Amino acid sequence: MTTRPNIIFIITDQQRFDTIAALGNDHMDTPHMDRLVNEGVSFDNCFITAASCAPARASLFTGYYPHTTGIFKNADSWKRSWIEKLSDTGYRCVNVGKMHSYPYHTPLGFHERYVVENKDRYLEERYFFDEWDKALKARGLVKQQRESYRKRADYKDALGAFDWELPEDMHPDMFVGDTATWWLNSYPKTEPLFLQIGFPGPHPPYDPTKRFSEPYLKKDLPLMEVSQEELDGLPEPLKGLRQHNNEVDHDSVVLDLEPSREQRHRQRAHYLANVSMIDEKVGEILTTLERQGYLENGIVIFTSDHGDCLTDHGHSQKWTMYDLVTRVPMVVWAPNIYKGGRSIEGLCQHMDIGPAILEMAGIEVPHTFEAQSILPAIQGKDWTPREYVYAEQIKDGILTETEFMSMIRNEEWKLVHFLHMKCGQLFNLKDDPDEVVNLWDEPAASGVKQKLLDQLREWHIESQVHTHDWAAEWR
């Protein structure tokens, strides 16, 4: 390659792995995401490093685990990223949409930021007015959010699923997609370009327009059965999480502890419809990139920051370590550069795309990175998958009944550890891929449990040694 590639990094918020038709989900209508998968390289066992937005994204854009960055929860200060290396070496770096840095407007290395954050900000910076807020004001519109939804008679039963009743182009995902295409059409073409597009959806409220929700409401959608036996066997912190999400309406979602199948289906339909709404905008972005010449030497990367239980396992949103939360789509599409139509089964961490991006741009990867480049796999070369992947989550305003939660997973087993507590989770993923049967207290599984606990300890020690001078330039 004689010139540095344009890199377009599209990130959705809270999109499960099982929401793209081409990844084996026939109930989905996602033709443009399907194109990325069918013509690109899909990492089918990609796992995030934290079970909430900001720490997962901070890992992604720094190359370090949350316990290294110190960014454990939303609103923890996050002001630096490897995007600075791109901008320092000649890339035009632009962000349209969500990043979830904090403060929200932190440059992070971008030359331009068109910030659109959570649809329903509440816990922090409730009165931060982003580009979408300003656009709504300019149109004389009042944003649909928690204050208005709480007035609805069906609020507690809706599980966060509502219809978008304002003009469709003012839906946050439409707004972000349209702003991205506007920028591509308006700004003089520069090479190389790093463009990060952050869609706020399908994070709740699950609020697509009826044009997208009505077809899904008519479909038979997959819903995981949740037994009383599974709920009774949950570790105490996760029982507390269920109760908390029933009592507190985070993101306009009230978790019904015994939702009906109709409630669950309606929520699922609205969530999946929001994915299809984003898919339409992804198609428009691809068309615009091609028309403006960015794809002649361009790489499009598509992923999300974590998933959503959607009442599966009896839980709402994230803050758990089920694969429904920790496993996300990761697709690299560059037909003119990398051979497509391939899926990679080996384990990788979500943040492993970071050093790959730096290498694509011809930038040396810092030796302290805990992220391990997946570029060899993208190129079709020999690549060694990770033996284990990890995720972390600290006590915050939602996960209130444990000080710290850690996950370790390999191809066959998953263990979830709660600091200073005797309870935990242990799943045999070969026999129990849905993670329903908790073997934590099973004597027959004690050997595997101890092995994973030992590896979790070794990982923390190795991490401290490997990253001891990661912040040396700021000391």
Side-chain angles (χ1 to χ4, degrees), residues 314-376:
H315 282 284
S316 177
Q317 299 205 62
K318 52 264 190 188
W319 304 292
T320 67
M321 294 298 182
Y322 297 107
D323 276 9
L324 298 175
V325 171
T326 59
R327 184 186 181 204
V328 292
M330 174 69 76
V331 186
V332 179
W333 180 83
N336 295 330
I337 302 175
Y338 307 123
K339 180 182 177 181
R342 294 181 290 128
S343 61
I344 308 296
E345 293 298 323
L347 293 173
C348 68
Q349 296 269 199
H350 190 230
M351 65 178 173
D352 291 345
I353 192 64
I357 290 174
L358 293 181
E359 290 171 339
M360 292 170 183
I363 297 172
E364 184 177 354
V365 177
H367 71 278
T368 57
F369 264 26
E370 295 179 283
Q372 301 173 11
S373 176
I374 53 176
L375 184 60

Side-chain angles (χ1 to χ4, degrees), residues 49 81 122 139 141 168 201 280 322 401 468:
T49 59
S81 78
Y122 214 79
R139 293 273 291 271
L141 301 172
E168 185 175 274
E280 182 173 278
Y322 297 107
E401 302 304 310
H468 71 279

Side-chain angles (χ1 to χ4, degrees), residues 143-393:
K143 180 166 65 174
Q144 289 182 213
Q145 57 181 324
R146 200 172 318 189
E147 283 88 346
S148 58
Y149 288 137
R150 279 174 170 169
K151 298 175 183 178
R152 297 172 57 113
D154 64 347
Y155 181 64
K156 289 190 176 181
D157 299 322
L159 300 177
F162 309 101
D163 292 322
W164 185 256
E165 297 172 350
L166 298 178
E168 185 175 274
D169 68 325
M170 292 311 298
H171 185 281
D173 293 314
M174 293 295 196
F175 179 78
V176 166
D178 291 344
T179 302
T181 55
W182 163 79
W183 189 92
L184 289 166
N185 285 323
S186 303
Y187 195 89
K189 186 170 181 287
T190 59
E191 291 191 55
L193 170 69
F194 177 74
L195 173 62
Q196 190 278 333
I197 304 170
F199 286 99
H203 187 290
Y206 312 112
D207 55 2
T209 60
K210 289 183 179 180
R211 176 165 73 91
F212 291 92
S213 63
E214 286 180 349
Y216 280 99
L217 287 167
K218 299 173 183 176
K219 291 185 179 186
D220 182 16
L221 302 174
L223 297 170
M224 182 181 292
E225 295 299 326
V226 182
S227 69
Q228 191 60 48
E229 181 180 9
E230 180 183 6
L231 297 178
D232 290 343
L234 289 173
E236 291 305 312
L238 298 190
K239 289 180 179 178
L241 177 63
R242 272 173 48 81
Q243 190 63 40
H244 175 92
N245 282 328
N246 172 255
E247 296 171 357
V248 183
D249 55 343
H250 296 290
D251 307 304
S252 301
V253 183
V254 178
L255 174 63
D256 191 320
L257 297 179
E258 297 181 357
S260 67
R261 192 167 187 86
E262 180 182 6
Q263 283 176 281
R264 298 184 68 201
H265 180 271
R266 183 175 180 276
Q267 181 196 54
R268 191 70 52 103
H270 279 70
Y271 172 83
L272 299 180
N274 200 163
V275 174
S276 289
M277 175 179 271
I278 294 169
D279 183 82
E280 182 173 278
K281 290 300 163 185
V282 169
E284 293 175 8
I285 290 166
L286 294 177
T287 298
T288 305
L289 288 167
E290 187 169 16
R291 185 174 60 245
Q292 296 296 338
Y294 286 104
L295 295 184
E296 295 171 8
N297 184 29
I299 301 168
V300 176
I301 302 167
F302 179 89
T303 191
S304 190
D305 60 353
H306 53 74
D308 190 322
C309 276
L310 292 171
T311 68
D312 292 342
H313 299 293
H315 282 284
S316 177
Q317 299 205 62
K318 52 264 190 188
W319 304 292
T320 67
M321 294 298 182
Y322 297 107
D323 276 9
L324 298 175
V325 171
T326 59
R327 184 186 181 204
V328 292
M330 174 69 76
V331 186
V332 179
W333 180 83
N336 295 330
I337 302 175
Y338 307 123
K339 180 182 177 181
R342 294 181 290 128
S343 61
I344 308 296
E345 293 298 323
L347 293 173
C348 68
Q349 296 269 199
H350 190 230
M351 65 178 173
D352 291 345
I353 192 64
I357 290 174
L358 293 181
E359 290 171 339
M360 292 170 183
I363 297 172
E364 184 177 354
V365 177
H367 71 278
T368 57
F369 264 26
E370 295 179 283
Q372 301 173 11
S373 176
I374 53 176
L375 184 60
I378 296 168
Q379 295 172 326
K381 298 178 180 179
D382 288 340
W383 169 70
T384 302
R386 288 179 178 263
E387 183 178 2
Y388 298 98
V389 290
Y390 307 89
E392 309 172 298
Q393 186 62 41

Side-chain angles (χ1 to χ4, degrees), residues 412-414 426-433 435 437 439:
E412 297 185 359
W413 291 88
K414 174 186 288 186
L426 180 66
F427 299 111
N428 183 329
L429 300 173
K430 295 294 184 183
D431 297 340
D432 179 28
E435 303 174 272
V437 182
L439 302 176

